[in-house]
Amino acid sequence: MGRRKLQLKRIENKSSRQVTFSKRRGGLIKKARELAVLCDIDVAVVVFSSRGRLYEFSSTNSLACILDRYQRRFDEEAVSQNSVNAEGSHSKYSNRLSHAQLLQIVQRQLEGPNFEQMTVADLVQLEKQLDATLAQTRARKMELMMESLKTLQEKERMLKEEKEHLEKELAAAKNGQDTTAAMTMAMATLPLLR
Amino acid sequence: MGRRKLQLKRIENKSSRQVTFSKRRGGLIKKARELAVLCDIDVAVVVFSSRGRLYEFSSTNSLACILDRYQRRFDEEAVSQNSVNAEGSHSKYSNRLSHAQLLQIVQRQLEGPNFEQMTVADLVQLEKQLDATLAQTRARKMELMMESLKTLQEKERMLKEEKEHLEKELAAAKNGQDTTAAMTMAMATLPLLR
DNA sequence: GTGACTATTTATAAGTA
DNA sequence: TTACTTATAAATAGTCA
């Protein structure tokens, strides 16, 4: 949909790829929002730009928490597969080494020319750093998931309240219907209605 | 884009909401794929239907793996959170060393008389074991929390359904009340009742 | 890296089978 | 349900500022 039809393949021109990225990213997120609203469901979209920037949309808070983990690069898989090479300095945890980075360092030391100089103390140091980093990661993960759980529990509580209220209203309304039935019978006995 | 313009709000008619969901879900995922290909980037889309079903698109394998965890049932072998540390020969991971055990070994090696004999390779081996153990623990924790989230989402879904049902019933009952009112008026006009 | 401006292509709401 | 069809609304490619 544009002045001409596009082939479904990487746009080679860099600047028009950038423009298309910006436009379509907006379009995608708009559509995600519409889908969520129109159909009353939960939708999440995650977009990584080529320079590692993250754009996301999420129709619910709990999903937002879950998806935030992608950005924070806390997921082990994401860390080992994507961000070791990237600089990832936009994270407030950038001063810590990632798990994967530590492993890489160990690996390099093993294969390097001077691995004989690597002392046990050095490695223990690495080990400790690794441990601290992982503890941090686990703690943050925990925090995020606890947040999610809280949100969901709150939702559940409110829905239950709503349900109770509706049930009361319904009971009251049903009484009204009984009256109707009684009246119908009463009227049937009236000669004028025959 | 259709025969007429839609308001951006929940579609009340259930069947057309369902149809719209199906169509727009497809459209959203198609657009996500196009964006990923045209701009050569990573995109992920997650959609929860109102009945808790999950639809997802991911341009990369790693994200797909992460998202798959939401959907997957974890009713395989139940590995308790503690079994890694426990002597536990009942776990299939019992041959792995615990994190604490590994640290202890490293510590002992450091303080021991023959720590000079501890090679880098040995430590890397320990490092790897440690890594595997921690990964296992994290994965299991994740599984358990995801299960909780899933359960809560399911609960939410069912409560929503119940609520809708109650609302319908209530509406019907209210109609009944209108009938009552009409009858009351009708009876008031009958001479015999005076 | 945006913000308009259109000519076109796409997506899709209703309708139909 | 599920699948087509079609009239219309939306998105957007190319372009300039």
Side-chain angles (χ1 to χ4, degrees), chain A:
Chain A
M1 23 188 167
R3 293 308 180 92
R4 68 180 187 77
K5 184 169 176 173
L6 275 192
Q7 297 306 310
L8 191 56
K9 67 193 184 72
R10 179 191 151 100
I11 297 170
E12 291 306 334
N13 180 298
K14 190 175 175 182
S15 77
S16 70
R17 186 168 72 240
Q18 163 58 35
V19 171
T20 293
F21 174 63
S22 179
K23 285 181 178 177
R24 278 180 174 257
R25 171 165 44 78
L28 184 69
I29 286 180
K30 184 180 175 190
K31 286 222 168 269
R33 172 172 285 113
E34 288 179 359
L35 179 61
V37 171
L38 290 172
C39 303
D40 193 22
I41 55 163
D42 293 343
V43 179
V45 171
V46 192
V47 178
F48 285 103
S49 80
S50 54
R51 294 199 293 96
R53 184 120 204 84
L54 177 88
Y55 303 85
E56 62 138 318
F57 162 75
S58 169
S59 59
T60 70
N61 209 317
S62 82
L63 266 177
C65 290
I66 292 167
L67 294 178
D68 270 352
R69 291 200 319 264
Y70 296 142
Q71 181 170 29
R72 306 259 154 88
R73 321 274 183 181
F74 275 144
D75 194 278
E76 179 199 19
E77 280 170 84
V79 167
S80 61
Q81 292 196 14
N82 301 329
S83 72
V84 177
N85 311 319
E87 78 301 344
S89 57
H90 50 281
S91 162
K92 63 176 169 179
Y93 305 101
S94 58
N95 57 329
R96 292 192 192 283
L97 295 172
S98 78
H99 186 186
Q101 280 173 324
L102 285 170
L103 276 180
Q104 263 191 1
I105 289 171
V106 173
Q107 219 71 44
R108 263 202 301 271
Q109 291 295 342
L110 179 64
E111 293 159 8
N114 54 347
F115 84 92
E116 290 299 350
Q117 292 161 28
M118 191 73 174
T119 70
V120 172
D122 287 338
L123 283 169
V124 168
Q125 206 43 49
L126 277 179
E127 175 79 36
K128 278 186 180 159
Q129 230 176 339
L130 170 63
D131 186 33
T133 304
L134 285 178
Q136 186 67 37
T137 305
R138 278 197 302 279
R140 180 64 186 149
K141 224 182 222 169
M142 222 49 184
E143 235 176 87
L144 289 172
M145 298 201 77
M146 284 309 184
E147 239 173 84
S148 296
L149 286 172
K150 249 196 234 154
T151 304
L152 277 169
Q153 274 165 348
E154 179 67 8
K155 252 190 191 166
E156 191 194 349
R157 197 186 55 77
M158 295 198 327
L159 279 168
K160 270 188 180 160
E161 259 175 37
E162 262 182 80
K163 190 188 136 193
E164 260 176 47
H165 183 245
L166 281 169
E167 274 169 341
K168 265 186 203 146
E169 232 179 309
L170 189 57
K174 282 247 170 88
N175 277 341
Q177 278 195 320
D178 291 343
T179 308
T180 304
M183 272 193 195
T184 305
M185 285 186 64
M187 290 176 82
T189 65
L190 293 176
L192 280 185
L193 290 177
R194 300 242 162 131

